[in-house]
Amino acid sequence: NGDGNYSRDFTYIDNVIQMNVLSMITKDKNALNQIYNTAVGKRTTLNQLVNFLKKHLSKFDTKITQAHVLHGPERAGDIPHSLASIEKAKKMLNYNPTHDLEKGIEEAINWYWENLSWYMNSKNKIWAIIPARSGSKGFKDKNIQSFFGWRNKINLVNSITL
C-alpha cells in the first residue's frame, strides 16, 4: 500500500540458515542466549522489490515487464522504513549475509523455473512450491498461484498490487 517508497530490510533464506547455523555452532559463551537480527543491513523499497521481480521474471516471459503496479492507500500505523542492525551478529557470530535481496530473488526465480517441470506433469498438484533446500514443504496460497500462473512455466500477471 502507499506509493511503494516504504522500505524494509528484506533477507533471503540462505542468510537465515547461515544465522541459525552460526548461532548453533558458536563456541563463544558470550554469544549464547542472545537476540540477533537476521537481515542484510540494507533497505529496499517496495518499488525496488517489484522491479527486481519484473527484471528477473522477464528473463522467462518478457511480457512481465508490462505489468502495472497498483498503489493503494497507506495503511494506518505502518512504519515507513525499517532497517535492521546486524552489527551484533557480525561481531559475535561472524555473520556475513551472502545474498542481498536482488541476488536472492534471482536465485529463487531461477530455482522455480528449473524445478517446476515436474509439477506440470504431476497428478497431485499443490498450490505452490517452496525451494526444498531447507527442507520446506509446499503450502496453499492462492495469491502465489495467481501470481505465477502454473500453466506453462510462469505466466504474466496484468498488475501487481502494493
Side-chain angles (χ1 to χ4, degrees):
N1 291 340
D3 63 4
N5 287 316
Y6 279 20
S7 64
R8 299 290 182 265
D9 191 348
F10 299 103
T11 196
Y12 186 61
I13 187 66
D14 284 10
N15 297 333
V16 176
I17 292 167
Q18 179 195 161
M19 178 70 81
N20 281 293
V21 170
L22 289 171
S23 65
M24 288 186 299
I25 65 171
T26 185
K27 303 235 189 276
D28 181 355
K29 290 185 180 190
N30 293 323
L32 298 175
N33 300 314
Q34 296 289 326
I35 298 171
Y36 299 101
N37 290 322
T38 304
V40 175
K42 179 180 174 184
R43 283 187 191 156
T44 303
T45 68
L46 297 175
N47 287 327
Q48 289 173 307
L49 172 64
V50 169
N51 288 332
F52 293 155
L53 288 166
K54 288 169 77 171
K55 175 182 174 182
H56 294 290
L57 285 169
S58 69
K59 294 174 189 173
F60 303 103
D61 184 345
T62 57
K63 294 177 188 171
I64 195 73
T65 60
Q66 299 168 12
H68 299 284
V69 176
L70 303 175
H71 296 280
E74 290 183 9
R75 293 185 312 182
D78 198 3
I79 298 169
H81 305 288
S82 178
L83 176 63
S85 171
I86 59 173
E87 295 309 310
K88 181 178 175 183
K90 283 183 169 185
K91 180 181 176 185
M92 298 184 83
L93 298 174
N94 200 27
Y95 172 67
N96 187 25
T98 58
H99 289 71
D100 66 11
L101 181 64
E102 184 173 10
K103 180 179 176 184
I105 286 174
E106 179 179 24
E107 191 170 300
I109 287 171
N110 289 337
W111 185 94
Y112 279 102
W113 191 261
E114 293 167 9
N115 290 283
L116 284 180
S117 61
W118 71 267
Y119 173 82
M120 302 305 153
N121 301 316
S122 173
K123 292 179 184 176
N124 300 314
K125 295 183 179 179
I126 56 176
W127 288 97
I129 299 146
I130 295 176
R133 207 189 286 186
S134 63
S136 56
K137 297 179 180 178
F139 65 98
K140 290 185 177 185
D141 187 324
K142 291 181 182 180
N143 292 325
I144 291 177
Q145 182 199 26
S146 64
F147 182 80
F148 283 105
W150 296 119
R151 291 189 197 121
N152 296 315
K153 305 270 182 178
I154 299 172
N155 290 338
L156 172 70
V157 291
N158 293 325
S159 64
I160 300 168
T161 304
L162 293 179

